[in-house]
Amino acid sequence: MTINFRALAAALGTVLALVSLDAASAQAATPNSMDALGDSITRAFNTCSFPFTDCPENSWATGTNSAVNSVYLRILAKNPGIKGHNNNDAKSGAKMSELGGQAEKAVSRKVELVGVLMGANDACTSSVSTMTSVATYKSQFESAMNTLTAGLPSAQIDIGSLPNVYRLWEIFHTNSTAVNTWNSLKICQSLLANPTSLAKADEERRLQVKTREEEYDSSLQTVCAKYTQCKYDNGLGFKTVFNTNDVGTRDFFHPSIEGQALIASVAWEAFPF
């Protein structure tokens, strides 16, 4: 049997070339820049040593704290080209009405990946009557999406579902420290007013907040589906069951370092690279 070494070498060369192209293609699919849009969750509010301040280094999206292992750090491990391009234009206290302005900042940065987690403050208001309507929420989100897709036609846009804030009441309403903190700070009164009451009216009110979040998530999914570059997490964020250690004990409302790490893990599962 005669081996044609030239033919074998040519075949091996072809295989290596294909592997190289596949690797280059995979690298190209990993973004070189990103921007995170949203509210205090994405700003990792209240996780630094100094209380009640933003702490973006602990952000689930763009943080640099290895204990969180943010989406940014996970991408960086695959693509060093993104180093230093981890923008965070979220704003503590922001509602969906402010996403359009944040979207304009993302467009100006010309980023390749945009992450959005927005809406908790639309549901967490002073009362059920002051929650943002579903129609308004949907319209504001669609307007922001138009800004993003027109200004960043090649960017990937990842949309996270809202965390289930009703879960906060479930795990902490028998904790006297949490209850006193909620009452003192007047946190999310649409949900957390009268936190120890098991009266039917109070439970119905809390469930209205949960339902409104589910309606918001449905709006996110419907609008996102209109844009080929948009990906929705299919409700994975809302379905994620967080526990007491995932919530900070300064306000018993915002994610702790562990909570930020949990959100990062869920986001990576929903939108892997």
Side-chain angles (χ1 to χ4, degrees):
M1 178 179 178
T2 302
I3 299 175
N4 188 329
F5 287 101
R6 288 186 179 180
L8 180 60
L12 288 172
T14 300
V15 170
L16 291 173
L18 289 172
V19 171
S20 178
L21 284 172
D22 285 343
S25 177
Q27 182 69 18
T30 309
N32 292 308
S33 57
M34 65 182 296
D35 198 359
L37 314 181
D39 52 32
S40 56
I41 296 176
T42 301
R43 294 295 295 176
F45 180 81
N46 228 353
T47 60
C48 273
S49 56
F50 194 82
F52 296 96
T53 58
D54 288 350
C55 197
E57 58 265 39
N58 292 332
S59 171
W60 66 270
T62 59
T64 53
N65 184 349
S66 60
V68 173
N69 196 16
S70 68
V71 171
Y72 163 68
L73 288 181
R74 294 168 193 247
I75 295 175
L76 180 63
K78 291 175 171 286
N79 176 21
I82 199 174
K83 186 174 183 179
H85 302 294
N86 52 328
N87 306 286
N88 189 323
D89 284 311
K91 180 183 176 182
S92 289
K95 295 184 177 183
M96 184 57 78
S97 60
E98 298 179 57
L99 184 60
Q102 294 182 18
E104 291 176 357
K105 292 180 181 179
V107 169
S108 71
R109 296 183 188 281
K110 300 181 179 0
V111 293
E112 297 177 9
L113 171 66
V114 179
V116 179
L117 180 57
M118 180 78 88
N121 291 317
D122 290 270
C124 273
T125 59
S126 59
S127 68
V128 166
S129 64
T130 57
M131 293 191 297
T132 304
S133 73
V134 177
T136 297
Y137 181 90
K138 183 177 182 181
S139 174
Q140 291 168 344
F141 176 57
E142 187 157 17
S143 177
M145 282 299 302
N146 287 335
T147 297
L148 287 171
T149 55
L152 300 170
S154 299
Q156 178 173 317
I157 304 169
D158 294 341
I159 309 298
S161 55
L162 307 185
N164 180 6
V165 295
Y166 182 82
R167 175 71 178 160
L168 286 171
W169 179 82
E170 284 185 318
I171 62 178
F172 284 123
H173 73 277
T174 59
N175 181 315
S176 60
T177 303
V179 167
N180 290 335
T181 300
W182 291 341
N183 289 339
S184 175
L185 297 177
K186 300 296 181 184
I187 294 174
C188 192
Q189 293 297 280
S190 55
L191 174 74
L192 300 175
N194 304 321
T196 60
S197 171
L198 299 179
K200 181 179 179 181
D202 286 311
E203 180 59 5
E204 288 179 345
R205 168 178 50 80
R206 295 177 194 121
L207 290 175
Q208 279 184 270
V209 176
K210 182 180 180 181
T211 297
R212 183 59 56 91
E213 281 203 319
E214 291 172 324
E215 292 169 335
Y216 288 163
D217 284 338
S218 179
S219 296
L220 295 176
Q221 183 173 25
T222 298
V223 173
C224 184
K226 297 179 180 181
Y227 305 89
T228 56
Q229 67 197 92
C230 184
K231 295 184 178 181
Y232 175 64
D233 74 355
N234 290 320
L236 186 59
F238 185 84
K239 296 171 187 174
T240 297
V241 177
F242 57 86
N243 297 304
T244 54
N245 63 305
D246 298 315
V247 183
T249 55
R250 286 173 177 157
D251 58 16
F252 294 92
F253 185 73
H254 287 91
S256 61
I257 294 289
E258 292 84 358
Q260 289 287 336
L262 175 62
I263 299 171
S265 177
V266 170
W268 192 252
E269 180 182 348
F271 312 113
F273 282 97

